[in-house]
Amino acid sequence: MAGATLHTWDPWAQALAERYRVIRIDLPGAGLTGADPTGDYADARAVLTRYHHLMRARGVRAALLAHMGQTVLQPPEPWLAKVTVPTLLLWGEQDAMIPITNAQDYLSTVPEAVLVSLPGLGHVPFEEAPAVALAPVTPFLSR
């Protein structure tokens, strides 16, 4: 997620590490990585108060803006059609960035997708209410 950091996932990582191997990274220009010396933030390469503080680190704000400026919006269907494994979609019902109505596009394109809507949560449910958002993940992973 653009602008996020590996620390975003601390609550989930701690809970899942008891049973699973957890790997977290910071994408170039985000979190602890700082600015990328090449200035390349294309997708092919790579809530809050915490984001504000992280973006104040030297070079990170400019790097994030450069990353967003290089993002090319493309229809997701060709990419989604390649997903052939069971997929859990967690969607905050109050997501103002990508409304839950968009979930239907994913459900119609990914044959093994299951949607869990999260009432009262927005675009980053894993940060807004980590335990609530994680609750449907654990049984999904145990299948």
Side-chain angles (χ1 to χ4, degrees):
M1 184 169 114
T5 168
L6 61 88
H7 298 104
T8 300
W9 299 97
D10 280 350
W12 279 33
Q14 291 167 3
L16 293 172
E18 296 173 10
R19 189 164 177 197
Y20 301 98
R21 180 176 179 208
V22 176
I23 299 172
R24 299 176 290 159
I25 63 167
D26 278 334
L27 296 176
L32 302 175
T33 64
D36 184 303
T38 69
D40 181 4
Y41 301 102
D43 286 338
R45 195 174 162 256
V47 177
L48 311 154
T49 318
R50 183 179 337 169
Y51 293 119
H52 175 74
H53 292 296
L54 289 170
M55 283 190 250
R56 294 183 65 177
R58 177 180 289 159
V60 171
R61 184 181 308 167
L64 181 59
L65 291 172
H67 180 139
M68 290 178 172
Q70 293 175 26
T71 299
V72 178
L73 296 179
Q74 299 176 5
E77 291 81 7
W79 293 97
L80 294 173
K82 296 178 182 182
V83 178
T84 59
V85 296
T87 303
L88 178 63
L89 300 173
L90 296 178
W91 219 298
E93 290 181 4
Q94 304 304 311
D95 189 338
M97 187 172 286
I98 306 173
I100 195 166
T101 54
N102 289 25
Q104 191 54 49
D105 295 337
Y106 292 75
L107 293 171
S108 63
T109 308
V110 180
E112 294 192 58
V114 174
L115 172 65
V116 174
S117 62
L118 302 169
L121 298 179
H123 189 64
V124 286
F126 46 88
E127 270 193 278
E128 296 168 35
V132 172
L134 182 59
V137 174
T138 307
F140 179 82
L141 292 175
S142 298
R143 297 183 345 171

